[in-house]
Amino acid sequence: MSEVIGLKNVRKIYKMGSAEVNALDDVSISFNKGDFWALLGPSGSGKSTMLNMIGCLDRPTSGDCFIDGKNISGMKDSELSDIRLHRLGFIFQSFNLIPQLTIEENIALPLYYQGWEHDKSIQRARELLEMVELDHRMGHRPKELSGGQQQRVAIARSLANDPAILLADEPTGALDSKTGEQIMGILENLNKQ
């Protein structure tokens, strides 16, 4: 299998006033195409920090991060934005849906940034809403949905750009156990595809 993500001796230190917080300490790990991983650990153990490194949202204090064999650690912000836009999908614990937009518009939003035409963006959003079984709610706003439904919208939005890498930060953390199992089932099916 080919390595899609690699971290080599990655350290991340945050300065908090006069104190330093060592969020990642010499982490080396790789993920291959088709892998399905869950990172477990207590709060404050560096899971989100590691996802932020992989997701081109933060840079290491030292060490190297690779996506598709390219070292992203020293890339310009515009290059990192391009990787996020075209290669990555994000599912956030807090959903991060825009309350003023319909769920259809929330899903189509990343496609507008890629330059898709409005009609094609909306068509893709509708296909994804159908996949997560929410096509009957496409005109609703996020606050009109349950937590599980909002997370399904967040999953659909993360897939809009057909990402090679899907990152999920506690995708079931705010959900009841039954809904959490359903969300994990969706993610497992996506990985198989």
Side-chain angles (χ1 to χ4, degrees):
M1 289 226 153
S2 59
E3 182 181 275
V4 177
I5 299 167
L7 276 67
K8 308 291 186 228
N9 306 107
V10 170
R11 296 189 62 166
K12 181 62 180 181
I13 299 171
Y14 293 103
K15 296 203 185 265
M16 306 199 55
S18 61
E20 290 187 347
V21 176
N22 194 1
L24 295 176
D25 188 14
D26 197 32
V27 173
S28 294
I29 190 167
S30 65
F31 303 96
N32 294 319
K33 184 176 181 179
D35 281 355
F36 187 92
W37 281 76
L39 303 175
L40 304 174
S43 179
S45 64
K47 300 180 303 292
S48 292
T49 300
M50 191 164 113
L51 283 176
N52 288 342
M53 296 290 157
I54 295 167
C56 303
L57 296 171
D58 204 353
R59 298 174 192 267
T61 303
S62 64
D64 296 300
C65 298
F66 298 88
I67 293 184
D68 296 327
K70 295 177 186 167
N71 190 339
I72 63 170
S73 304
M75 286 186 173
K76 297 176 186 174
D77 288 342
S78 60
E79 293 172 304
L80 295 175
S81 292
D82 191 60
I83 291 171
R84 285 192 302 270
L85 186 60
H86 297 284
R87 302 283 299 146
L88 304 176
F90 293 93
I91 304 169
F92 300 98
Q93 179 181 7
S94 59
F95 317 132
N96 287 355
L97 300 174
I98 300 171
Q100 298 85 354
L101 300 179
T102 66
I103 61 173
E104 179 182 66
E105 293 165 336
N106 265 281
I107 295 168
L109 189 62
L111 301 175
Y112 296 140
Y113 287 113
Q114 285 188 348
W116 284 44
E117 293 176 13
H118 176 78
D119 291 346
K120 288 185 179 182
S121 298
I122 293 299
Q123 179 59 36
R124 175 73 173 145
R126 289 178 179 168
E127 291 168 4
L128 291 166
L129 279 170
E130 188 174 326
M131 184 197 79
V132 297
E133 300 177 0
L134 285 174
D135 48 314
H136 63 289
R137 302 303 270 310
M138 70 179 67
H140 288 73
R141 302 216 185 292
K143 68 180 179 183
E144 299 170 322
L145 305 177
S146 70
Q149 290 172 325
Q150 288 183 51
Q151 191 62 300
R152 289 186 353 229
V153 173
I155 290 170
R157 182 190 53 202
S158 75
L159 299 173
N161 65 345
D162 196 23
I165 300 167
L166 186 60
L167 303 171
D169 192 1
E170 297 191 41
T172 62
L175 306 174
D176 62 80
S177 58
K178 182 180 178 186
T179 306
E181 288 175 18
Q182 291 172 341
I183 297 300
M184 287 307 297
I186 291 171
L187 295 175
E188 288 172 12
N189 286 334
L190 288 170
N191 179 252
K192 289 175 186 172
Q193 293 174 22

